[in-house]
Amino acid sequence: MAFTLPDDLAPELYPLAWLAGTWRGYGILTYGETVPEQAVYQEMTFDHDGGPYLRQTTTIWTVDATRSKNLDFEMPGLQGASLLAPAQIWSTETTYWRPVGQEQPDDADTKGSGGPLTPVTRLELVSADPAGHVAVWEGWIQGPRAHVGTQAVGRARTAVPVEEMTRMFGLVGGDLMWTQDMAAFGQSEVTTYASGRLGRVDDVNDPAAQPGSALDPAESAEESSTSSAPASDDAEPNV
């Protein structure tokens, strides 16, 4: 799929330009005994206002197991999203990405590459969520790959303890792949928490790009009328 550089994008953001836009897809949540493994629907939007930063808005929904179809976790993000019926919002977050400088890759990284590699752009991020967490992140982006980790995590008095988080993003086959590891809920070891595969959405109002677009409306209505509350609705939103 062809990608067009967004209008009025600040030059500092050119290394991040491939992220810009709206992405929808599916993923997995799991965190030991605290968060049972489950499929989720996800949406990420990276937008800008002409300033030297991107704003990322991420929302994750649990899914209605009585209406959703089984996923093949090798399928493209938008195809997977079309098989899921969102149930309730699990988490949402707003993050600002700010590039703070560039440097050339280490000599060891350039050996055998056949030429100079893409410069590494250093990043600083700030995130906030309504569950009571704010975080400062640092990391890098190089070509279609990014890696960031928290330098500090603050929380409200009643928020779930979160000690550390790391995230990786990559463009694979035109899809945005991402993962998050974290140490939370009193656990000191960094462990996988979330992952996702999302496809770029050209038209956010396109019916084919909506979650559950491949589900049979008549079948879904019949199943909903004869079923109790979806199993996934029993899960409580976390971080």
Side-chain angles (χ1 to χ4, degrees):
M1 181 182 298
F3 170 70
T4 303
L5 195 69
D7 294 335
D8 303 323
L9 191 70
E12 295 92 336
L13 294 181
Y14 288 169
L16 287 68
W18 61 271
L19 287 166
T22 295
W23 305 79
R24 292 173 179 164
Y26 62 89
I28 291 288
L29 286 181
T30 180
Y31 198 75
E33 297 180 356
T34 306
V35 181
E37 182 172 311
Q38 58 190 290
V40 290
Y41 169 70
Q42 307 178 358
E43 179 173 308
M44 287 186 185
T45 298
F46 293 84
D47 60 12
H48 71 98
D49 58 10
Y53 49 83
L54 284 183
R55 178 179 61 184
Q56 174 193 2
T57 304
T58 301
T59 307
I60 297 176
W61 286 260
T62 60
V63 299
D64 184 339
T66 67
R67 298 173 55 207
S68 302
K69 300 297 185 181
N70 291 332
L71 296 176
D72 173 356
F73 287 93
E74 298 298 323
M75 64 177 49
L78 290 177
Q79 182 182 354
S82 72
L83 301 176
L84 298 178
Q88 66 177 8
I89 291 178
W90 172 270
S91 66
T92 184
E93 179 188 275
T94 299
T95 306
Y96 288 91
W97 295 54
R98 187 166 61 94
V100 293
Q102 286 191 340
E103 58 189 53
Q104 293 301 315
D106 294 338
D107 291 340
D109 294 334
T110 62
K111 291 181 179 179
S113 65
L117 294 181
T118 304
V120 176
T121 300
R122 295 296 171 185
L123 301 170
E124 293 179 352
L125 286 66
V126 177
S127 66
D129 67 53
H133 304 93
V134 295
V136 176
W137 309 66
E138 292 182 357
W140 53 266
I141 188 167
Q142 182 183 28
R145 296 183 302 133
H147 185 280
V148 296
T150 53
Q151 301 303 304
V153 181
R155 67 182 180 95
R157 181 176 58 84
T158 59
V160 171
V162 177
E163 303 299 328
E164 181 181 356
M165 295 179 283
T166 63
R167 291 175 182 167
M168 292 190 293
F169 300 80
L171 192 62
V172 180
D175 274 1
L176 176 62
M177 310 281 280
W178 78 282
T179 63
Q180 175 174 319
D181 296 345
M182 69 178 185
F185 304 105
Q187 181 170 313
S188 59
E189 181 179 356
V190 175
T191 305
T192 298
Y193 167 63
S195 62
R197 178 167 186 165
L198 294 76
R200 188 187 299 277
V201 179
D202 290 329
D203 180 359
V204 295
N205 296 314
D206 181 0
Q210 305 305 313
S213 60
L215 301 177
D216 185 337
E219 179 182 348
S220 297
E222 180 179 351
E223 290 179 349
S224 296
S225 65
T226 59
S227 302
S228 59
S232 58
D233 284 352
D234 293 336
E236 292 295 331
N238 287 279
V239 295

